[in-house]
Structures are given as C-alpha cells and as structure tokens.
Amino acid sequence: MEPKLDGNAAAGTLQEIFPFDMTLAQATCAGCGATDVIGALAVYMHGMGTVVRCPSCDTVLIRMAQTKGRYFLDMRGVLVLQIGTEA
Ligand SMILES: [Zn+2]
C-alpha cells in the first residue's frame, strides 16, 4: 500500500499540465457526488504515476502518468471540474 498524501502532493504534476492553480480547483466525484478542492483529496504516488481518490467513497478521480515527454491523464472519476478564474 502506497503512503497516502493530500492533493497538494499532486500539484507539481498538475501544475505542469494546467495553467492555473489546480489545488484550488474543485472536483465533483462521479461516484458519490462529493465536491472537494483538489488539495483536499487523497493522493497516492507510486512508480506507475499518481492516483487521486475521493476522500468520501474512495472512487479514483484522476490518474496521472508521465512517460517519454507525454502526460496521460485519466479523469473519468471527475463528474465536474470547477476552476476559479480569480488568482
Ligand atoms: Zn466520492
């Protein structure tokens, strides 16, 4: 079992992909409908990449992997992603 981290641990990789502060973006879980800021989600980092899970129901919200200069982003567990336009 990988150590559990919070969403801020995934911020570095997300920051390379998205041009805004993803720790403040809000994700709605497709499994249970809970909405949390990315920074508050449960993050597991391991050799294959990063997995972001819903803290309420454990649904996988985001899977990220990076290989050979290419990012792979699986966001099927995110029903809605809300991104603030204020800094
Ligand atoms: Zn959930």
Side-chain angles (χ1 to χ4, degrees):
M1 195 74 192
E2 314 83 33
K4 180 180 171 183
L5 307 165
D6 75 17
N8 296 302
T13 305
L14 288 168
Q15 215 57 64
E16 292 169 25
I17 303 170
F18 295 100
F20 31 76
D21 188 350
M22 281 294 280
T23 59
L24 298 178
Q26 292 182 302
T28 300
C29 173
C32 72
T35 299
D36 284 292
V37 293
I38 301 273
L41 301 176
V43 172
Y44 301 86
M45 298 175 100
H46 51 81
M48 296 295 288
T50 301
V51 175
V52 180
R53 288 182 179 272
C54 174
S56 304
C57 73
D58 218 34
T59 290
V60 175
L61 299 178
I62 305 172
R63 272 184 240 268
M64 290 184 290
Q66 184 190 1
T67 126
K68 294 176 181 157
R70 194 171 288 261
Y71 291 103
F72 295 85
L73 204 56
D74 175 347
M75 298 185 67
R76 79 182 80 174
V78 178
L79 205 57
V80 178
L81 187 65
Q82 298 177 51
I83 299 150
T85 53
E86 305 288 306

